[in-house]
Amino acid sequence: MKTTIRIAALTMLILSAGAASAIDLGGMLGAGKDLAKAATVSDKDVIEGSRLMMRQMDKEEKVAPAGSKYAKRLAMLTKGLENEDGLKLNFAVYQSAEINAFATPDGSIRIYAGLMDLMNDEELRGVIGHEIGHTKLGHSASQMKKALVLSAGTKAAGASGNQIGSMVAANEETIKAFGNAQFSQSDETASDDYGFKFMQKHKYDVRAMESAFRKLAKQEQGEGSMMASHPGSNSRADRMKAAADKL
């Protein structure tokens, strides 16, 4: 498997097309090009849709069982973070060599085994703090709303959470939009800063933020920039180093 580096990307490409056949929308998908109604999706709908999407994604992915070394390590790293900064969070490891992590609006944070193999405990804590930042600062919710608008949704897009959640799980255009979602430079910078403050708050090693990005920079070599719209990992490492030097 080709390793990819997409830290903080909301990657939803794993959802299978089979989900569409598993959900009977009673023809609602065929109704769907109502962009205006897609834009009116509420925060509650976004969170519920995210929760249902993650339920499906966890079925499709190979989640590390509780007794595995990956699950035990993540449990140790996230102990006490189940209710962090006003958020109810849940954590799991995907047993994939992909170097990746992401967070969704419902508070789900997923770490890939490839990332855990690459980074030490303090560096992983920095990544976790960064991902919490994407949820706390509303970046993940914003991307989900954008995906619904870009996919044009359906006429049920302004409906209740269960309906919007079913649509998200079944609408291939929405899933594709999630998979292509990219955080802006300002979003990434804000989440980096949130992660740094998270490390300070919990008295973790703040310099691990720099070393985590240095490792990612090495992985990126030969594969091109992680995302053209994002600051490079070395630049982000430099910012974290400067912040740590000021302490």
Side-chain angles (χ1 to χ4, degrees):
M1 179 184 294
K2 180 181 178 181
T3 299
T4 58
I5 304 95
R6 293 179 293 174
I7 294 302
L10 187 62
T11 51
M12 295 301 178
L13 291 173
I14 311 300
L15 287 171
S16 67
S21 61
I23 300 173
D24 180 9
L25 297 179
M28 283 194 292
L29 290 179
K33 296 299 176 184
D34 192 337
L35 201 59
K37 286 192 177 182
T40 66
V41 176
S42 71
D43 291 342
K44 181 180 179 181
D45 290 340
V46 166
I47 291 173
E48 181 62 17
S50 172
R51 185 178 294 113
L52 292 173
M53 182 175 249
M54 287 309 302
R55 187 181 301 169
Q56 178 64 29
M57 191 170 182
D58 284 349
K59 288 180 182 178
E60 297 296 331
E61 273 287 355
K62 188 175 181 181
V63 177
S68 72
K69 67 175 184 179
Y70 291 109
K72 286 181 178 179
R73 185 182 176 199
L74 184 62
M76 180 271 293
L77 292 173
T78 59
K79 185 177 181 180
L81 299 179
E82 297 83 3
N83 292 282
E84 173 68 15
D85 201 5
L87 298 172
K88 186 176 180 180
L89 303 173
N90 67 89
F91 305 88
V93 179
Y94 285 163
Q95 293 186 137
S96 166
E98 189 173 339
I99 299 174
N100 195 14
F102 67 89
T104 55
D106 68 305
S108 297
I109 294 179
R110 299 295 180 262
I111 309 293
Y112 286 67
L115 181 69
M116 297 187 76
D117 290 338
L118 178 67
M119 296 189 174
N120 63 37
D121 288 351
E122 291 297 289
E123 291 163 347
L124 282 173
R125 286 184 169 119
V127 171
I128 290 166
H130 174 97
E131 296 302 335
I132 293 173
H134 276 309
T135 297
K136 181 66 180 181
L137 300 175
H139 304 157
S140 298
S142 177
Q143 291 291 19
M144 184 166 284
K145 286 184 179 181
K146 286 179 183 178
L148 288 169
V149 173
L150 287 171
S151 69
T154 74
K155 288 189 176 180
S160 66
N162 285 338
Q163 288 172 304
I164 194 69
S166 296
M167 272 186 10
V168 168
N171 189 331
E172 290 185 18
E173 290 303 312
T174 302
I175 294 169
K176 181 179 179 181
F178 271 118
N180 292 332
Q182 294 186 9
F183 292 118
S184 67
Q185 287 194 24
S186 60
D187 285 352
E188 293 293 355
T189 297
S191 289
D192 289 348
D193 291 341
Y194 182 97
F196 188 89
K197 292 176 182 177
F198 167 86
M199 298 292 277
Q200 281 185 287
K201 172 184 175 181
H202 292 284
K203 300 188 183 333
Y204 300 145
D205 181 5
V206 294
R207 292 197 177 276
M209 294 286 289
E210 176 196 354
S211 59
F213 284 125
R214 299 293 184 205
K215 287 183 177 180
L216 289 177
K218 289 182 180 179
Q219 293 294 317
E220 289 166 9
Q221 292 176 4
E223 295 192 22
S225 176
M226 180 174 71
M227 284 181 241
S229 63
H230 288 180
S233 292
N234 270 324
S235 295
R236 295 166 78 178
D238 291 342
R239 284 189 73 253
M240 295 297 95
K241 181 180 185 302
D245 287 345
K246 290 181 180 179
L247 296 180

